[in-house]
């Protein structure tokens, strides 16, 4: 058995893969694969509409919000958000708790006026900012956060601090739909699908209608959120298969019991791995401060680079893949997204204990 801890593209629910396999050659009696079907067909339009409806239902959102299916990943959103919503004479505020927040801020700086509201870079991105550092300007164009940093393994709590009334924008690529959260507090949420939502190739954007209306009108048409909203994400050819897979994953989440069930499942998995770290007598050292630990990406180091290399080699031999830390920081990272089973988390925790006994 393979235990998939890849950080993205990541594990998909086996039930979803089985259903996609069963439907691949002949989608619902059409005689065509979804891979060769027109995005203007009634069959695909139904998939597209169902994906939006299923996502809004899981989040408890009303028609005040739209769900858009875009391309270019979160990295494209780093630029599109300030291009659309940061007019001349205004300022956008950013809180940085890791590498992806850095990238979003750097991109916005190229486009308009920005303000770094808070950053934990000086501490190596091990924790969240102190609450007193989070007083935002209510006149800011928007306030941007990254809810989960995959590289450092730092995550905001589901119940966020009480930010100022500036529109709240979040990169949720790596923890979207992993737990309940107050989605109505956000003006815009974006997430690359390849971690919790589906395969690579589509970026999900949840955006409030009033923010769409505020967007700049002088941008190229393809770069405006209003274009995607007006055309139900069908202005140009969407990533049809990726959206189809997202809808299957959304249906799977609903069948499992929704976001509350995902939260319980993910907390149980993370607890197993963090316990292996905390009971290792210092053999494993977690990167994130305990109060900021991510349930999605468990990051830790071993006593030496040689032992980390041995750990990865032995883990691979035991059927555990995707455990290398990001190339920019090294170390070990276990990504425990929704589709990763509790059995895989238990297998990893057991392997960690055995490895520490052997080499500690």
């Amino acid at each position: 058995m393979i235990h998939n801890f890849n950080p993205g593209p990541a594990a998909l629910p086996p039930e979803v893969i089985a259903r996609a396999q069963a439907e691949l050659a002949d989608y619902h009696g059409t005689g065509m694969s979804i891979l060769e079907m027109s995005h203007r067909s009634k069959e695909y339009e139904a998939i597209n509409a169902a994906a939006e409806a299923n996502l809004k239902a899981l989040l408890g959102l009303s028609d005040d919000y739209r769900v858009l299916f875009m391309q270019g990943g979160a990295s494209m959103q780093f630029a599109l958000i300030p291009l659309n919503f940061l007019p001349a004479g205004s300022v956008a505020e950013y809180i940085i708790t890791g590498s992806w927040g850095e990238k979003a801020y750097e991109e916005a700086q190229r486009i308009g006026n920005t303000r770094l509201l808070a950053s934990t870079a000086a501490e190596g991105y091990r924790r969240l900012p102190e609450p007193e550092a989070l007083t935002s300007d209510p006149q800011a164009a928007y306030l941007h956060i990254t809810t989960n940093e995959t590289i450092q393994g730092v995550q905001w709590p589901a119940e966020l601090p009480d930010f100022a009334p500036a529109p709240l924008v979040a990169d949720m690529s790596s923890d979207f739909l992993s737990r309940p959260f107050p989605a109505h507090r956000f003006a815009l949420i974006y997430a690359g699908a390849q971690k919790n939502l589906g395969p690579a190739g589509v970026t999900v954007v949840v955006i409030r209608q009033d923010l769409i209306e505020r967007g700049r009108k002088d941008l190229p048409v393809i770069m405006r959120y209003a274009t995607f909203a007006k055309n139900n994400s069908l202005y140009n050819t969407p990533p049809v298969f990726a959206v189809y897979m997202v809808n299957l994953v959304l249906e799977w989440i609903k069948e499992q019991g929704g976001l509350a069930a995902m939260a319980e499942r993910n907390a149980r998995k993370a607890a197993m791995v963090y316990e292996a770290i905390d009971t290792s007598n210092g053999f494993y050292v977690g990167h994130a401060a305990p109060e900021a630990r991510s349930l999605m990406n468990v990051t830790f180091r071993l006593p030496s680079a040689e032992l980390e290399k041995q750990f990865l080699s032995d883990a691979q031999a035991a059927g555990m893949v995707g455990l290398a830390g990001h190339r920019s920081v090294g170390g070990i990272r276990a990504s425990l997204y929704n589709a990763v089973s509790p059995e895989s988390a238990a297998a990893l925790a057991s392997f960690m204990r055995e490895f520490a006994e052997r080499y500690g």
Side-chain angles (χ1 to χ4, degrees):
M1 177 181 179
I2 292 296
H3 301 284
N4 183 357
F5 300 104
N6 273 306
L12 285 165
E15 300 93 329
V16 167
I17 293 176
R19 181 173 168 187
Q21 182 184 36
E23 296 180 344
L24 188 61
D26 182 0
Y27 180 73
H28 292 198
T30 61
M32 292 183 292
S33 170
I34 191 71
L35 292 167
E36 57 187 351
M37 192 176 292
S38 169
H39 66 293
R40 303 293 181 190
S41 67
K42 67 181 190 310
E43 290 84 4
Y44 178 71
E45 289 192 357
I47 291 169
N48 192 78
E52 176 167 12
N54 283 331
L55 184 49
K56 287 169 66 173
L58 282 168
L59 296 177
L61 293 176
S62 68
D63 289 340
D64 292 340
Y65 285 82
R66 291 299 312 273
V67 176
L68 312 178
F69 301 109
M70 304 178 70
Q71 298 177 65
S75 297
M76 179 70 78
Q77 299 299 315
F78 295 164
L80 289 182
I81 289 165
L83 280 172
N84 277 266
F85 306 121
L86 181 52
S90 188
V91 63
E93 297 187 319
Y94 282 72
I95 298 173
I96 302 178
T97 53
S99 299
W100 294 110
E102 272 186 5
K103 291 180 183 299
Y105 180 60
E106 290 167 1
E107 195 77 327
Q109 286 181 300
R110 297 184 177 98
I111 294 166
N113 294 324
T114 59
R115 178 185 301 124
L116 182 58
L117 188 62
S119 170
T120 56
E123 298 91 345
Y125 295 129
R126 297 177 184 274
R127 62 174 184 83
L128 297 169
E130 297 298 331
E132 55 268 23
L134 303 179
T135 304
S136 177
D137 180 355
Q139 301 303 314
Y142 60 84
L143 170 62
H144 183 285
I145 65 171
T146 306
T147 54
N148 183 70
E149 285 285 356
T150 59
I151 294 176
Q152 284 79 22
V154 171
Q155 185 178 32
W156 286 91
E159 292 295 332
L160 292 166
D162 186 18
F163 298 119
L168 184 57
V169 172
D171 178 357
M172 290 193 180
S173 290
S174 52
D175 66 348
F176 193 45
L177 302 190
S178 68
R179 59 188 180 177
F181 69 98
H184 64 277
R185 289 185 58 186
F186 294 84
L188 189 153
I189 297 164
Y190 61 99
Q194 66 273 13
K195 301 176 188 296
N196 273 324
L197 294 175
V202 63
T203 305
V204 174
V205 175
V206 181
I207 183 169
R208 210 168 56 207
Q209 292 275 15
D210 68 294
L211 192 64
I212 295 173
E213 294 162 6
R214 280 176 41 190
R216 281 175 55 182
K217 308 297 191 294
D218 59 343
L219 293 175
V221 174
I222 194 64
M223 300 174 73
R224 297 176 55 206
Y225 292 96
T227 300
F228 286 82
K230 180 181 178 182
N231 293 277
N232 297 320
S233 302
L234 300 173
Y235 174 76
N236 64 331
T237 306
V240 169
F241 186 74
V243 176
Y244 159 76
M245 290 293 289
V246 166
N247 192 47
L248 294 189
V249 172
L250 296 174
E251 291 179 356
W252 176 81
I253 292 173
K254 290 169 65 177
E255 291 164 1
Q256 302 307 303
L259 301 190
M262 290 297 103
E264 187 279 330
R265 173 186 172 99
N266 291 327
R268 183 157 42 101
K269 293 183 300 187
M272 296 182 205
V273 182
Y274 282 121
E275 182 183 24
I277 293 172
D278 294 339
T279 59
S280 70
N281 295 317
F283 184 78
Y284 301 113
V285 178
H287 176 81
E291 69 276 8
R293 281 175 166 175
S294 169
L295 300 184
M296 296 285 95
N297 309 99
V298 181
T299 54
F300 57 96
R301 302 303 299 251
L302 277 71
S304 68
E306 291 74 19
L307 274 175
E308 289 174 352
K309 184 177 180 180
Q310 188 68 49
F311 180 95
L312 293 172
S313 176
D314 289 4
Q316 180 89 23
M320 300 180 194
V321 300
L323 287 167
H326 191 271
R327 61 186 180 278
S328 65
V329 297
I332 311 297
R333 170 175 56 179
S335 295
L336 305 174
Y337 301 128
N338 286 350
V340 175
S341 70
E343 291 75 19
S344 287
L348 174 59
S350 176
F351 169 80
M352 291 171 65
R353 287 190 290 269
E354 293 169 2
F355 189 89
E357 289 173 4
R358 196 179 327 136
Y359 293 100

